[in-house]
Amino acid sequence: MTADCLFCKIVAGDIPSTEVYRDDRVMAFEDISPSAPQHVLVVPVAHITFLRTADESHESLIGHMALVADRIAAERGVQSSGFRLTINQGPDSGQAVDHLHLHMTGGRKLGPIA
Ligand code: AMP
Ligand code: ZN
């Protein structure tokens, strides 16, 4: 856990969230300000600040995040209609929380990626 990291606090249960899934490596919870009818965040339990600070030792973890997001999309009935996985990285992306996270959005027609 990294002090003053919002998502570390959510993982630890110090800040409430609507938990969707948890295992020893990742946790998923509802985005507090959803941009689509389905908007879930999948985060590593152990703090990683950015994709750019991840390394080869995190390859399996990052793949696991994608598969967990896919399973959640399936559970929510948007796997066949379609969904999007997004990782924001750095200022130009609008990344607001410096704890690696994967957005799963779906449940409506998603526009082109800006
Ligand atoms: P990003 O812009 O990629 O850093 O995304 C951060 C996401 O975290 C945004 O979609 C926010 O709505 C979401 N968020 C911020 N605070 C919370 C919170 N307390 N619980 C759940 N989601 C949050
Ligand atoms: Zn963190």
Side-chain angles (χ1 to χ4, degrees):
M1 164 139 179
T2 297
D4 294 329
C5 170
L6 175 63
F7 287 174
C8 279
K9 288 178 180 163
I10 286 178
V11 168
D14 296 338
I15 289 178
S17 70
T18 304
E19 187 172 321
V20 170
Y21 176 85
R22 180 190 286 268
D23 63 26
D24 57 334
R25 291 185 285 168
V26 302
M27 177 187 171
F29 51 93
E30 303 283 354
D31 195 292
I32 204 167
S33 179
S35 66
Q38 302 297 334
H39 190 166
V40 171
L41 301 174
V42 182
V43 309
V45 166
H47 181 91
I48 300 172
T49 307
F50 302 112
L51 191 57
R52 71 171 162 79
T53 57
D55 60 32
E56 287 74 11
S57 72
H58 300 111
E59 279 181 355
S60 160
L61 170 65
I62 293 167
H64 184 56
M65 289 168 66
L67 288 179
V68 165
D70 178 68
R71 279 183 219 126
I72 293 168
E75 282 167 15
R76 291 169 173 233
V78 299
Q79 195 186 43
S80 347
S81 54
F83 62 93
R84 182 172 287 158
L85 301 183
T86 308
I87 293 176
N88 287 323
Q89 166 66 60
D92 280 356
S93 74
Q95 181 181 7
V97 179
D98 291 348
H99 178 130
L100 181 66
H101 52 282
L102 185 62
H103 297 254
M104 189 284 287
T105 48
R108 67 167 169 80
K109 194 74 120 177
L110 301 166
I113 294 176

